[in-house]
Amino acid sequence: MTDKSKVFVYPKDVSAFGFEWGRLSLTVAPEVNAATRFSGGVVDLPSGMGHTRHNHPGAEEIIFVISGNGEQMVEDEKGNPVVEKVGPGCTIYVPESRFHSTLNTGDGPMQLFVVYSPAGPELVLRDLPDFRLLPPGGSH
């Protein structure tokens, strides 16, 4: 249910997309609070887990590392993987339609904030075989 008044949203307030590799809690999205130009939310990755190489056709993405350490891959314009170690405070820009992946290489959880523009590419995640919808306040 869309609620235009939902301007202060915690991950525990929304249902989450659960996967074998972690979860995505969309806190800004057309279906959450009627955002129109972008969507975003919090990604939680347990130690040793990550999301595999994928892209979002027609969309750009920003990934901000809140906590934890990992390896981020973003392919260059020729399709070659560029891998960097990332940690708290790092912002990763993923150009439109570019393939990328994230792996938590730390001992503890890794938390990211991700933004997609335009909104919507994250909804295709619902079609993945390991997708499950977690209720608000739910855990893995």
Side-chain angles (χ1 to χ4, degrees):
M1 169 174 27
T2 299
D3 182 351
K4 290 183 182 184
S5 69
K6 272 192 159 175
V7 295
F8 302 102
V9 184
Y10 290 89
K12 66 177 177 55
D13 296 336
V14 295
S15 57
F17 294 8
F19 306 95
E20 290 174 9
W21 51 260
R23 73 175 161 198
L24 166 62
S25 302
L26 287 176
T27 53
V28 178
E31 64 274 17
V32 174
N33 41 24
T36 57
R37 298 177 189 207
F38 53 81
S39 57
V42 177
V43 174
D44 292 291
L45 299 173
S47 181
M49 302 301 280
H51 33 93
T52 57
R53 177 185 178 275
H54 66 283
N55 75 339
H56 307 285
E60 295 175 294
E61 182 176 0
I62 297 168
I63 303 169
F64 180 79
V65 181
I66 297 170
S67 61
N69 294 283
E71 288 183 353
Q72 179 67 48
M73 185 280 291
V74 179
E75 291 185 356
D76 66 17
E77 55 280 341
K78 295 178 183 173
N80 300 309
V82 177
V83 179
E84 292 281 336
K85 292 192 180 306
V86 296
C90 184
T91 299
I92 300 106
Y93 167 62
V94 181
E96 182 179 337
S97 305
R98 198 75 58 88
F99 281 91
H100 57 286
S101 62
T102 308
L103 175 64
N104 178 352
T105 58
D107 294 334
M110 185 177 195
Q111 192 170 64
L112 313 169
F113 189 80
V114 297
V115 177
Y116 307 96
S117 179
E122 69 284 353
L123 296 180
V124 300
L125 295 172
R126 291 177 178 257
D127 297 332
L128 294 176
D130 64 337
F131 168 81
R132 62 194 188 286
L133 192 63
L134 305 173
S139 60
H140 297 308

